[in-house]
Amino acid sequence: MTKDGVAPARRLHPDRYAAAVRTWEGAVGYRVLDRCYGVPAGSGRKELKRQMHSSTQRRVARHAAVTALALVALAAAGPERATAALTLVRDGAPRATIVVAKAALDPAKEDGSAQKVATAARDLREYVEKISGARLPLVSDEQAPRGPLILVGRSRLTEAMKVDIPAGLTPGRREEGFVIVCQGDRLVLAGNDAGPYHGTEYATYDFLERLGVRWFMPGDFGEVVPRRASLTFADIRVREKPDFIQRNWWLHTTDEMAALERRWKIRNKMNPDNLFQMPADSSVRNFVADQKEAAAHPELFARNQDGSVNPFLPNLTDPRAVAIAAEKMKALFRKDPALNSAGIAPDDGLPRDFNPGTVKRNQGFTDLLGREGVPAEVSVSEEWFDFVNAVAREVKKEFPDHVITTNGYANRNTPPEGVALDPNVSVMFAAIWSDTLHAYDDPKSWQAVRQGQMLRRWCELSPGKVWIYGYDYRMLVSGLTPVPITRKLARDFPLMKEWGVMGFIDEARNVWMEGGITSKYVRARLEWDADADVKALLDDFFTKWYGAAAAPPARAFWDALEEAMESTPLLGHEDRILPWVYTPELMSRLKTHLEEAERLADTSRSKQHVRVDRLIYEHLRGYLAMQAAESAGGFAEAARQAGRMMEIRKDLHAVNSFFVLPDEQRYKSGIWYWGVLDRKAYYERLAALTSGKTGELVSLLPETAAFRTDPHDEGRFARWHRPDFPAAGWSSLLTTKPFYAQGYLSREGYPYTGYLWYRLEADIPASAEGRRVILYAPAVETEAWCWVNGKYVGHRPYREAYERPNEMEFDVTSAL
């Protein structure tokens, strides 16, 4: 059956359906067959036969893989039937031969395509042997093998069968795909292997999945291999191509883990080889005038706000800067004919060209994360994409099919107004600011909805050429607590397909404990087929991973976490919101489900998998205990809990390295900012400051403050900071919980964004007299002014809300 629901050329014969019923009805009844063949539940065998032979029955079950798996399973479960088209293994003995083109068996002559075919053939032989114990012969197409044959990749024999195998490689990269064709005693597993494509490997791994093999995680630990003495396969025609042509993420990791993950990606139909050049930060530096020109011809370069020359960004409205960039890009294409694209993007941050002509072109839109009235924080999408358009027009005069990639990121993430993008411009949309917990169509999240609106507009501006640089971290700043998001993925991917998203190259970290196995696995499957049945994928995963007995409570454990993530009104991509998502009630439910799974796990493998969940749960308990200790001012205890979390990570790492690395090795581990070790060191510093080691705690400010919003900046003028100012109209608020989570959040997730006043009282003991006293707050966002006893003591300048620690510190001795 085909992915798009077109009936195969050879339908299942009624006798084979009858055999299927006899095999399955005692174990699972008609329900499984009904689902596999697209028959309404309970309609039974007679209705199925009628549908199979109806001339109007041209549509079949959407998920052909499930159907084929059922066919293989029933054929392999019982004795060989006369209706079986191909026997691979019988009673542990090989009956089929694997055939490849001669080049795939000659390592000295293996080109890229032959290498992929060789890998696919070796893996096919390896996994058939793992399943059945039989090692199939592997020969070249020149040896005239007889009997049942499995033809892996293109060869003389596939040419003789006239199988239409996807082929070709154009700059647009739209030729990817594979076929599985079983006719009589011939099985073809082949696809497009040109350039970055892995079609034959996809066909092979898809076939092995139909035999029951799964790769839930990289490496041997993550695979599931059934055991059967006999393997047969019925006639079938499958032709598939992906919904998204780019399907990848990148991360820093060890070389060994990178190799395992690469193979895992291909086995799950991702493509670890980029189809287009990424517009990396600072890549524009390759296309500006030579640095020596900065003094002689400063007009070719951008200007900083103070008027100085920025030699790393072109003057975005100077035609000569356009010509220089275009010529340098054409030189790249001339040098390497295999290149189909070139990337161009400014430095990271908020770069802006302040040349008068470029400033005039700017439309004055504030960037999504910018502040009104701050020139360095406006959107520069209009002038940047005008410049890229101009470069593209020049380049395509010589290279009409080549693509110019750039990024919709930072102060260019907002789609430009009044700018029609050149057809040869491809946009990599990178919304680093967005909520990572909710779907694009979730009315609780203005951030997710806004990201979806922007993405859809980008797709309108650049049809078929918009891809996503996602931040597949669960939480960009994270304590690595569990944040599964399969529900979000199931809602987002069909929308992205509908809007015309081209694909994904995400930034990720190699920490499978954070999203659970399911988040990465489901993401990989949806990148190939956006309409895949996520519930069926999860049913399959939990049963195979935990065993039938422990699967229900194990799934309830992860479902409870999913429900918490999906239902929370809190938004963001940093873990500061999570202590209020992991409620005591949720923790109690998790404990109950985990204990039940531990009780029901009945094999060493399922027990090990449940133990992983236990360690993830204990790590979460440590995280919440750390947060609680911080809120209470118990910094030594917070540091101790952070240390406990790191010890649990060592235990998880000992189970499998992909769950987490034992230490936060910055980019290698993906924990590059405000990790648990950073927090531990900070807590230890605060403990020393408050324990007499490097300082002494004079007084701990109360957890509850008088609180008042000030949308019109009245407080300064009304002198709300006076000690005798009346308290009427003020409410009480915890200082240990974000104010927006205490009633200042709209239904869409918009927080109050004006001025806020906190008013706290503390008694300072007489022993502090004559000593220097410091007022210290570990985190204050985003800008603050402070009075003590009515006396102004200082201003803490604006700092981005993500920064940690975001301290406020003033000497208040004279105000006491």
Side-chain angles (χ1 to χ4, degrees), residues 217 221 513 607-619 642-663:
M217 285 181 69
F221 178 84
M513 69 176 285
K607 289 177 181 178
Q608 184 186 46
H609 295 168
V610 173
R611 180 172 176 266
V612 168
D613 291 352
R614 165 61 72 180
L615 292 171
I616 290 172
Y617 171 78
E618 294 299 332
H619 183 270
R644 176 171 173 259
M645 292 171 70
M646 297 307 298
E647 290 301 314
I648 293 172
R649 291 184 189 181
K650 291 179 182 178
D651 291 339
L652 265 170
H653 175 75
V655 175
N656 188 268
S657 299
F658 281 91
F659 285 118
V660 67
L661 292 178
D663 295 305

Side-chain angles (χ1 to χ4, degrees), residues 307-329:
S308 60
V309 172
N310 178 354
F312 306 120
L313 184 68
N315 182 334
L316 297 181
T317 48
D318 190 311
R320 291 171 297 169
V322 170
I324 290 168
E327 183 55 37
K328 291 194 172 192
M329 195 169 289

Side-chain angles (χ1 to χ4, degrees), residues 570-612:
L570 300 181
L571 314 179
H573 61 221
E574 299 175 24
D575 74 289
R576 74 186 69 176
I577 66 174
L578 291 181
W580 298 280
V581 178
Y582 301 120
T583 63
E585 186 274 336
L586 172 63
M587 295 301 292
S588 176
R589 288 170 60 199
L590 294 178
K591 181 174 182 289
T592 298
H593 298 320
L594 183 58
E595 290 176 346
E596 181 70 0
E598 288 172 330
R599 186 180 68 82
L600 293 174
D602 53 7
T603 67
S604 59
R605 185 176 174 90
S606 64
K607 289 177 181 178
Q608 184 186 46
H609 295 168
V610 173
R611 180 172 176 266
V612 168

Side-chain angles (χ1 to χ4, degrees), residues 702-707 730-735 757-761:
E703 184 178 16
T704 301
F707 177 84
W730 293 65
S731 60
S732 294
L733 204 73
L734 294 174
T735 60
W757 289 75
Y758 289 84
R759 185 170 177 169
L760 303 103
E761 294 187 5

